[in-house]
Amino acid sequence: MTGPNFSVTHTYGIQTRSAYLPASYVQRRTLQPGESFTPDLAAMASFVPGSGSTQISFSPIPMDAAALFESLEQYPYGCTEQTVSRALPLLYADQMAALAGRKSSSDIKNQIQGAISTLLNRQSADGAIGLWRVGDQESTPWLGAYATDFLARAKALGYVVPDAALDKAYDALEAFAVRENTYSSEYAFDVYESKFNTDTKKLLLDRSIAYAAYVLARGGRMDKSRLRYLHDERLSRIPSPLAKAQIGAALYMIGDNARAKSAFDQAEKALGYVNSGDYYATSRRDLAGVLALAAEAKMQDRVTRLAARVSQDLPEPDRLTTQEKAFLLLAANALSGGQASVTVAVTGAADAVTAGRVFKLNDTQARTPPSFTNRGTGQVWVTSIARGSPSAAPKPAFDGLTMDKQLWTPEGKALNGSSFHQGDRIVVEISVQASEQRTTPLIIADLLPAGFEIEAVLRPEDAGKTGPYAFLGEVTAPKIAEARDDRFVAAVDLYDRKPATVAYMVRAVTPGAFAMPGAVAQDMYRPETFGRTAAQQITVAKR
């Protein structure tokens, strides 16, 4: 802007993103001493220019901690389990995440402190920590132990965790771990039981008591006689290998090495146990957790024995659960002994010999990718992951889920076209059904066309038999629903094969031609259970 005797310039940044959720492609291999590797970056051509990057990681242990951390960091949702799973490995970030200057220590500390604040903002007066918000009574007692474990470890490393808040969190664990009182806190001890669900209230209580006993023992607050009772009378009836190892590690902390060894022996024999109703648990997570706990209990022979198993048949990090990634990172920390060393020569974009383990290439560098040569004395594991925003609409995909996205007028007329007018109000209905007979905790995300804005999230009473949008039928009450600027996000539980429906109202506000992405649903703890509806192009005409 210019005028008499003045001239002013302002610049405003406008955030943009692809119409479609990011995609990733992975390559894995090993490099023997003297062997070279040039990454195949053909996948970068499928991304929107400027959105793609490739991370190439080298590890002296048979799992790539940097790639696991990168995948955890980019997970977009934030219930208490996911918040802790992202932040817990950061406590050991000097080895796991900040390698090769990948992230400054101040960034890591801020992220950890932010996670602490999130958890404490969800803590009730009785010490229980909610799943999404304070007092929601959705957190299991196992999750309460997981969150308290993180808070206690963070405080021990110098992060700001008020004594009163941590004491209350311990009190909530003592109520069920020591006194087996399931009524004095807001943790959810009930389990959805059916003939298709192998979980029970007893199994939940047993594994929660074991984890809480371990956390309390680390904090010096676990009754020693109670711990010995858990080993002598309860351990053989607890099927979870992670729970057995947690009791073993707790016994090690009080100096009872004989019982600790016995507990770890039983934990190792139980590896492979599967409970389809416990959606935090997988056999891979339990194996990694037992390894990390064995390292904590100074059982090096057991650590060496388990190390050969923990990295077998690992899928790409984005296909692992948040629990698997978090516990694999703890296992990686144990295997590395808190440090790591590789020597790689880089020939190409930046010729160097470096002890760094993580290299990132942008679009420009990917056109002439460098070559990497192992200059060390032992083999190294290589992981190359290309990530970016797809330049074309992904095809519909259904793996363990079926889902449908339907548009309606507010009066209940189905909209099957792609042409709208400025000011039109549209009801978006998303229905999801699981193919498995189990509890499926879902995240549903529906990215908006750039010309739409959300006006309201519809509630069960808005539909049903008497609501103004009765044509939708039964609408599910989500655990949480968010009307964000650029997307609708909801968390719902599917029970067995019963369908769930969520709905929201949008208004067409901006004329133009836009991409309407497909809606995406994913099991929060088993990412291979996934669904995506078809995308399409739409137009919004001026009023």
Side-chain angles (χ1 to χ4, degrees), residues 48 98 114 117 123 145 150 214 217 246 309 337 390 414:
V48 173
S117 298
Q123 187 178 41
F150 165 69
Y214 165 77
Q246 286 164 339
R309 298 173 57 182

Side-chain angles (χ1 to χ4, degrees), residues 342-367:
V342 296
T343 302
V344 175
V346 186
T347 305
D351 292 357
V353 175
T354 175
R357 289 177 44 196
V358 183
F359 300 83
K360 270 203 166 181
L361 305 177
N362 58 28
D363 281 6
T364 303
Q365 295 166 325
R367 296 188 189 118

Side-chain angles (χ1 to χ4, degrees), residues 200-449:
T200 65
K201 183 175 181 178
K202 180 183 180 302
L203 290 173
L204 170 62
L205 186 60
D206 282 343
R207 64 179 179 266
S208 302
I209 287 174
Y211 196 176
Y214 165 77
V215 175
L216 291 168
R218 280 180 62 98
R221 291 190 46 162
M222 186 61 192
D223 182 82
K224 295 181 180 179
S225 60
R226 170 70 173 171
L227 258 182
R228 295 187 177 104
Y229 161 79
L230 291 177
H231 174 273
D232 297 347
E233 302 296 331
R234 297 280 285 273
L235 192 69
S236 62
R237 303 198 299 268
I238 297 175
S240 165
L242 182 62
K244 292 176 185 288
Q246 286 164 339
I247 291 173
L251 287 163
Y252 170 81
M253 291 174 199
I254 66 169
D256 195 334
N257 292 328
R259 283 186 173 89
K261 181 181 182 301
S262 168
F264 273 103
D265 287 342
Q266 294 185 52
E268 196 169 347
K269 289 178 182 177
L271 287 170
Y273 164 75
V274 175
N275 178 355
S276 63
D278 178 6
Y279 42 69
Y280 295 146
T282 68
S283 56
R284 181 179 286 114
R285 182 212 66 171
D286 288 349
L287 174 60
V290 171
L291 188 157
L293 290 165
E296 191 173 347
K298 304 294 190 292
M299 298 182 179
Q300 190 55 47
D301 289 346
R302 198 182 307 271
V303 170
T304 302
R305 186 164 59 247
L306 295 176
R309 298 173 57 182
V310 77
S311 62
Q312 291 177 355
D313 301 322
L314 277 180
E316 63 174 292
D318 289 350
R319 301 291 282 180
L320 295 167
T321 73
T322 50
Q323 285 272 305
E324 286 173 335
K325 284 181 272 198
F327 278 84
L328 281 167
L329 281 168
L330 294 180
N333 186 52
L335 287 171
S336 68
Q339 59 184 358
S341 177
V342 296
T343 302
V344 175
V346 186
T347 305
D351 292 357
V353 175
T354 175
R357 289 177 44 196
V358 183
F359 300 83
K360 270 203 166 181
L361 305 177
N362 58 28
D363 281 6
T364 303
Q365 295 166 325
R367 296 188 189 118
T368 54
S371 174
F372 300 91
T373 303
N374 178 9
R375 294 300 188 203
T377 57
Q379 74 173 351
V380 297
W381 281 258
V382 184
T383 304
S384 174
I385 299 180
R387 284 192 176 90
S389 299
S391 56
K395 295 179 179 179
F398 304 100
D399 191 350
L401 294 176
T402 57
M403 62 184 303
D404 180 66
K405 177 178 175 180
Q406 177 64 53
L407 307 184
W408 304 86
T409 67
E411 295 74 33
K413 180 182 177 182
L415 295 172
N416 297 315
S418 58
S419 298
F420 304 93
H421 287 84
Q422 194 177 16
D424 284 354
R425 296 169 72 230
I426 302 123
V427 176
V428 182
E429 175 193 18
I430 302 169
S431 299
V432 190
Q433 187 173 10
S435 61
E436 293 186 64
Q437 296 277 16
R438 63 178 176 90
T439 302
T440 305
L442 282 187
I443 278 287
I444 299 171
D446 193 22
L447 302 187
L448 297 178

Side-chain angles (χ1 to χ4, degrees), residues 97-121:
L99 298 168
R102 194 197 160 287
K103 199 175 180 73
S104 73
S105 59
S106 62
D107 289 337
I108 291 171
K109 290 179 179 178
N110 290 338
Q111 193 167 339
I112 292 172
Q113 196 62 57
I116 292 169
S117 298
T118 296
L119 297 178
L120 295 183
N121 285 335

Side-chain angles (χ1 to χ4, degrees), residues 171-193:
D171 291 343
L173 300 188
E174 282 184 341
F176 64 84
V178 178
R179 299 186 293 276
E180 297 203 35
N181 180 348
T182 61
Y183 300 100
S184 62
S185 74
E186 293 186 351
Y187 287 127
F189 290 85
D190 292 330
V191 173
Y192 174 71
E193 297 186 22

Side-chain angles (χ1 to χ4, degrees), residues 443-502:
I443 278 287
I444 299 171
D446 193 22
L447 302 187
L448 297 178
F452 284 8
E453 289 185 4
I454 298 177
E455 285 198 341
V457 176
L458 301 188
R459 303 164 298 172
E461 54 266 35
D462 294 326
K465 295 181 179 180
T466 59
Y469 308 104
F471 59 86
L472 294 171
E474 296 296 326
V475 168
T476 305
K479 289 189 172 184
I480 189 170
E482 297 180 358
R484 300 184 184 178
D485 287 344
D486 71 335
R487 73 192 66 188
F488 167 79
V489 178
V492 299
D493 281 349
L494 300 183
Y495 296 102
D496 298 332
R497 293 176 182 165
K498 298 175 184 176
T501 297
V502 294

